[in-house]
Every structure is written in C-alpha cells, then in structure tokens.
Amino acid sequence: MRHACLASLLLLAPPALAQDGTFQILKGGKPVGRIEVSRTEAGGRAVYRMTSRSSIVVLWTHDVRSDLSTVYEGDRVTRCHSTYHVDDELRDSSSMYTVGGRPLCYVHPNKVFVGRTDNPWTIARMYYEEPVGQDSIFVESELRDCPLRAVGDGRYILTMPDKGTNHYTYRDGVLHEVLVDRTLFNLLFRRT
C-alpha cells in the first residue's frame, strides 16, 4: 500500500524543472571561472539573469565578465540586455526593448535596428528548459535568431553568426554542459 501511494504521488508530481544554479567554466580541463544563473517569476513575467566571471589566458591573462538579463511577458521576450567586458574594457553589448509592440535593438558600438521577438526561445531559457523541437534560438548578444540542430541523446548545436558553435548537453531535460567552440579556444561550462 505504501509503495502504491508513493507511485501515485510520483505520477501526479510535475516534471522536474532546472533550478537556479552555478556552472563552472573550464578551459583545457582547468577551472577558470563560473556562471551564475537565476530566474524569477511573478504575475506572468519571468526575468532570467546570467553573470559570469573568469580569468582566461589568450596570449596573456584577461579578466572576463559578462552579464545578461532577459525579460518575458507571458511567452514573449519584451526586453534583454547583455554586456561583455575584457579586463575593464567594454567589448560588446546589446539591448532590446519593445515600444508599442515593436522591438528596438541596439548592438555596440553603433548598430540600431527594429528587430523581431516572435521566437520564444533564448539562450537564457535554454539554461532552464531543453529546447525539444526548436530549430532556432534568439541569441540575446546578437539580437537575432541563430540555427539550432538536435543531434540526439539530449544534445544540441547552436551555430553563431561568426560560425562558432555552442554544444548543449541535457540529461532528463536539465542542462548539464555547454561546450563553447571558437577558433582560438574552447570553453566548457559544467553544472556544479
């Protein structure tokens, strides 16, 4: 009887959702930094935040910081902002917010355009949900959709505009690793 009750409770329980957490950043198998991810929800609004801090050697040691904030109203992205600093220098930033339903976009240093927000999948959301059946992801730092390809067993490859790729690995719907494959170096983000 006790086992039957437990089995019934497990069947009625909602599926497990990924939680706020930390990812260790590895370069060449050695820890170089960390990423903190969080999501808050209230009144049909969800705010995703990601911050990273690392020290990476590319010719010499660089302190790298990135910050990302993505806001959803219902299932629609209504604003996002990202920054990327190397040492104390702003290397990249992007912002998008909607005015009258139109997404206004700015990419550092001087690219301004009216974008699209009809894709409900973003990089931030991928840290919380497996993108089953998706063929593109709205990349907040680029403010545009990039192609996503499922390769089986909870693995996906996102191709960035510079032809670099991010390889996502999920287990039971939870993101465990991201391999960032770039020309000069690779980084691995691993859930701790």
Side-chain angles (χ1 to χ4, degrees):
M1 175 77 169
R2 189 174 186 196
H3 295 293
C5 289
L6 179 60
S8 296
L9 286 173
L10 290 173
L11 288 173
L12 295 174
L17 294 176
Q19 301 296 312
D20 293 348
T22 302
F23 288 76
Q24 186 174 52
I25 302 172
L26 304 165
K27 182 176 184 275
K30 296 180 180 173
V32 295
R34 56 193 287 136
I35 299 171
E36 302 285 338
V37 298
S38 68
R39 176 177 62 187
T40 56
E41 296 181 75
R45 183 175 195 235
V47 178
Y48 294 80
R49 295 196 188 281
M50 296 173 57
T51 59
S52 74
R53 304 291 181 263
S54 59
S55 289
I56 298 175
V57 177
V58 179
L59 300 178
W60 56 87
T61 301
H62 296 283
D63 292 319
V64 179
R65 296 177 298 140
S66 70
D67 294 286
L68 170 72
S69 174
T70 304
V71 178
Y72 282 81
E73 303 282 346
D75 63 354
R76 191 173 192 92
V77 179
T78 57
R79 77 178 53 199
C80 61
H81 180 72
S82 70
T83 59
Y84 179 77
H85 289 84
V86 176
D87 300 321
D88 289 324
E89 180 183 341
L90 177 65
R91 289 287 177 92
D92 193 13
S93 72
S94 64
S95 294
M96 185 277 295
Y97 59 94
T98 54
V99 175
R102 293 172 46 113
L104 301 178
C105 300
Y106 170 76
V107 178
H108 176 77
N110 57 11
K111 187 176 180 183
V112 178
F113 59 97
V114 175
R116 296 175 35 203
T117 59
D118 53 347
N119 188 345
W121 280 89
T122 59
I123 293 282
R125 185 175 173 185
M126 289 180 71
Y127 277 77
Y128 286 84
E129 299 174 59
E130 183 174 350
V132 176
Q134 301 306 309
D135 62 5
S136 69
I137 300 296
F138 181 76
V139 176
E140 293 95 319
S141 61
E142 301 288 338
L143 299 177
R144 65 187 217 184
D145 290 348
C146 292
L148 180 73
R149 182 169 50 99
V151 292
D153 296 326
R155 294 178 298 127
Y156 301 82
I157 299 174
L158 179 65
T159 302
M160 305 300 276
D162 64 1
K163 303 303 179 203
T165 55
N166 293 359
H167 301 249
Y168 295 82
T169 301
Y170 294 81
R171 287 196 293 275
D172 299 322
V174 176
L175 180 64
H176 282 269
E177 290 185 347
V178 181
L179 172 64
V180 177
D181 187 1
R182 298 297 183 267
T183 302
L184 295 178
F185 61 90
N186 296 337
L187 296 174
L188 181 66
F189 307 158
R190 180 175 291 150
R191 185 178 290 275
T192 59

